[in-house]
C-alpha cells in the first residue's frame, strides 16, 4: 500500500487524502451522527407523549371518588397478600390478575393483563386508602382502547 502511494505525485496524494477525509466524514455522519439525532428525536417524542399520558392520568385520578373508601374501609389484618387478594376480588379483577407474588412481608408484586384502566385506578385508590403505597408501577397499552397491561409493586406504609 505504501509503495503504491510512493508512486503518486504530491498533487495525487493530496487528492487521495482529501477524498479519504470526505468519505470518512460522510461515513461518520451517516453511521453515527444521523442515527444519534434520530434516536434523540424519538426519545423526545416519547417523553412528550408520556408527559401527556401522565397529565391525563392525574386528571382521571383526581376525578375518581375516594372519600367513602377511607372512612369505613377495613384496615390490613392478616397477611398483606390475603388483604390484596380480597381487594382484587372486591374490584372484580381476579380474571385479569395473571400473577401475584409476595416480596417479604411488606411488599407484593402484581401483574395484570388486559385490565380496564379505570378499574385498575379504582383498585389502586382503594388499597392506597387502606395504607398501601405504590413502590413501582408500569402500565402499557393493550390492543383495545382503555385496556392496559400492568405490573405494580405495593408496599405497606
Amino acid at each position: 500500500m505504501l509503495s503504491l502511494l510512493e508512486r503518486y505525485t504530491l498533487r495525487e496524494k493530496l487528492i487521495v487524502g482529501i477524498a479519504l477525509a470526505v468519505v470518512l466524514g460522510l461515513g461518520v455522519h451517516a453511521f453515527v451522527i444521523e442515527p444519534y439525532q434520530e434516536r434523540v428525536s424519538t426519545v423526545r417524542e416519547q417523553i412528550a407523549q408520556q408527559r401527556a399520558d401522565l397529565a391525563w392520568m392525574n386528571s382521571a385520578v383526581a376525578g375518581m371518588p375516594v372519600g367513602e373508601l377511607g372512612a369505613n374501609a377495613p384496615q390490613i389484618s392478616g397477611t398483606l397478600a390475603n388483604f390484596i387478594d380480597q381487594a382484587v376480588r372486591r374490584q372484580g379483577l381476579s380474571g385479569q390478575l395473571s400473577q401475584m407474588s409476595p416480596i417479604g412481608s411488606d411488599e407484593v408484586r402484581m401483574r395484570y393483563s388486559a385490565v380496564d384502566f379505570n378499574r385498575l385506578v379504582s383498585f389502586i385508590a382503594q388499597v392506597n386508602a387502606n395504607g398501601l403505597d405504590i413502590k413501582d408501577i408500569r402500565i402499557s397499552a393493550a390492543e383495545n382502547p382503555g385496556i392496559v397491561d400492568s405490573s405494580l409493586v405495593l408496599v405497606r406504609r
Side-chain angles (χ1 to χ4, degrees), residues 81-155:
N82 286 339
F83 173 78
I84 291 176
D85 186 51
Q86 291 171 1
V88 167
R89 291 174 197 261
R90 279 193 301 272
Q91 288 291 328
L93 298 174
S94 298
Q96 291 83 21
L97 182 63
S98 59
Q99 179 185 9
M100 182 171 77
S101 55
I103 305 171
S105 62
D106 291 338
E107 293 183 17
V108 172
R109 178 180 306 278
M110 305 173 72
R111 291 207 169 113
Y112 288 99
S113 58
V115 65
D116 180 62
F117 178 76
N118 293 329
R119 291 175 71 187
L120 179 65
V121 171
S122 178
F123 166 75
I124 291 171
Q126 178 189 3
V127 296
N128 187 267
N130 285 307
L132 296 177
D133 286 329
I134 296 174
K135 181 178 180 182
D136 181 36
I137 187 166
R138 297 170 196 267
I139 298 175
S140 60
E143 293 181 18
N144 297 329
I147 305 297
V148 295
D149 295 330
S150 171
S151 170
L152 58 122
V153 176
L154 297 173
V155 62

Side-chain angles (χ1 to χ4, degrees), residues 4-44:
L4 179 66
L5 286 176
E6 289 175 1
R7 287 190 262 161
Y8 290 145
T9 64
L10 181 60
R11 180 175 175 246
E12 291 170 333
K13 289 178 185 177
L14 186 61
I15 292 172
V16 168
I18 292 172
L20 183 62
V22 168
V23 168
L24 185 63
L26 289 174
V28 166
H29 177 74
F31 295 111
V32 176
I33 296 172
E34 193 169 328
Y36 173 76
Q37 289 174 341
E38 288 176 9
R39 180 67 181 144
V40 166
S41 174
T42 303
V43 168
R44 285 184 179 151

Side-chain angles (χ1 to χ4, degrees), residues 53-70:
D53 291 346
L54 179 62
W56 176 83
M57 285 182 199
N58 285 335
S59 68
V61 169
M64 296 194 72
V66 293
E68 69 273 359
L69 291 177

